[in-house]
Amino acid sequence: MSDRKPVESWLTDMDGVLVHEGQPVPGAPEFVRALRASGKPFLILTNNSIYTARDLQARLNRMGFDVPEYAIWTAALATAQFLADQRPGGTAYVIGEAGLTTAMHAVGYVLTDFAPDYVVLGETRTYSFEAITKAVRLIDGGARFICTNPDPTGPSAEGALPAAGSVAAMISKATGVEPYFVGKPNPMMMRSALNTIDAHSETTAMIGDRMDTDILCGLEAGLQTVLVLTGISTRAEAERYPYLPSRIISSVADLIDEI
């Protein structure tokens, strides 16, 4: 990264970077504290659309992170912003929880199952066969298909859970219609985050723990990328990809002195 401009803004994934299995990554609260003290713009990103930014702020605060609500950017917020830009004041049939429905209401969307402009699929703890059937019929009837993120599974204490990407595949199989995914690895997620903090790609770094989402997304958006080894991808796995991060470090604790 020495041949790039100094980093003036930071984007960081949450799970696997700041938090791992419900506990803070060692040094992560201090990293966030250093970011806030520096005055540099930053956002914490997550593909999870279940929770509102306020919910996630409370969760992080309980783990020792001093994070303001406005510093959290979710796939639900990015999706709502994207739809508001595409069709202001539109209508949508939404399968999701408070994080997504709150974001949709906040941009002025009406949630309805009567001839909606969009079917919007997000994460939920309990996918309803009735709701999925209704989504299939609405898409067959002409509604456009949007999904917050392509993740096929999500973590839980008991193991992997089917996530939005898996349910989207089922709806696509039934309708023949592929969704537009807004969340990572779509660089749209990065660009919306950059716009939110008025940052420029050439002076922004993305920190992530997954080569196939965080690093790919940052790379395609023109950001400097930092892979941490506290989550999914290992150093050996990173070498197998056709692209590389700007650098690989053990954890965000290694970045504290650079902020």
Side-chain angles (χ1 to χ4, degrees):
M1 294 170 65
S2 60
D3 58 340
R4 300 289 297 266
K5 293 185 177 181
V7 176
E8 298 297 337
S9 308
W10 294 86
L11 303 179
T12 177
D13 187 35
M14 184 170 68
D15 292 313
V17 177
L18 303 180
V19 177
H20 184 64
E21 296 182 349
Q23 298 296 322
V25 170
E30 291 79 8
F31 169 72
V32 172
R33 194 173 303 126
L35 275 178
R36 294 206 69 186
S38 73
K40 293 180 179 178
F42 74 96
L43 277 181
I44 297 170
L45 310 184
T46 177
N47 262 359
N48 191 315
S49 64
I50 290 178
Y51 305 105
T52 66
R54 182 175 296 181
D55 295 333
L56 294 173
Q57 177 197 30
R59 173 187 168 193
L60 289 170
N61 283 353
R62 286 195 299 271
M63 288 188 279
F65 292 90
D66 182 16
V67 178
E69 182 181 342
Y70 61 77
I72 299 171
W73 189 244
T74 71
L77 293 170
T79 298
Q81 184 182 86
F82 170 73
L83 293 180
D85 291 341
Q86 290 284 304
R87 291 179 180 272
T91 59
Y93 176 67
V94 174
I95 299 176
E97 300 206 18
L100 183 55
T101 57
T102 300
M104 296 292 288
H105 281 139
V107 298
Y109 256 62
V110 172
L111 306 190
T112 179
D113 60 1
F114 179 74
D117 296 319
Y118 297 96
V119 166
V120 182
L121 173 66
E123 305 286 3
T124 176
R125 300 176 186 87
T126 53
Y127 286 106
S128 158
F129 185 77
E130 180 182 356
I132 291 170
T133 300
K134 184 168 290 186
V136 167
R137 292 172 180 169
L138 290 171
I139 293 168
D140 281 342
R144 302 154 188 88
F145 188 17
I146 299 287
C147 187
T148 57
N149 61 288
D151 301 27
T153 61
S156 78
E158 294 78 27
L161 294 171
S166 293
V167 180
M170 180 166 60
I171 294 173
S172 292
K173 189 70 173 179
T175 61
V177 176
E178 295 292 329
Y180 181 73
F181 294 106
V182 176
K184 298 176 293 181
N186 189 345
M188 173 74 67
M189 180 85 167
M190 294 291 143
R191 295 192 185 105
S192 64
L194 290 172
N195 290 338
T196 298
I197 58 175
D198 195 26
H200 299 283
S201 58
E202 61 184 0
T203 55
T204 301
M206 172 64 197
I207 310 166
D209 71 306
R210 292 188 61 147
M211 288 291 294
D212 58 346
T213 55
D214 307 317
I215 301 306
L216 177 60
C217 194
L219 177 71
E220 292 187 343
L223 279 60
Q224 300 178 42
T225 54
V226 182
L227 177 70
V228 295
L229 303 177
T230 50
I232 301 296
S233 296
T234 66
R235 188 181 295 272
E237 289 169 349
E239 292 291 339
R240 298 178 62 185
Y241 282 83
Y243 52 87
L244 286 170
S246 303
R247 60 172 159 161
I248 301 174
I249 60 175
S250 295
S251 78
V252 288
D254 296 340
L255 296 172
I256 293 174
D257 292 338
E258 298 181 26
I259 302 302

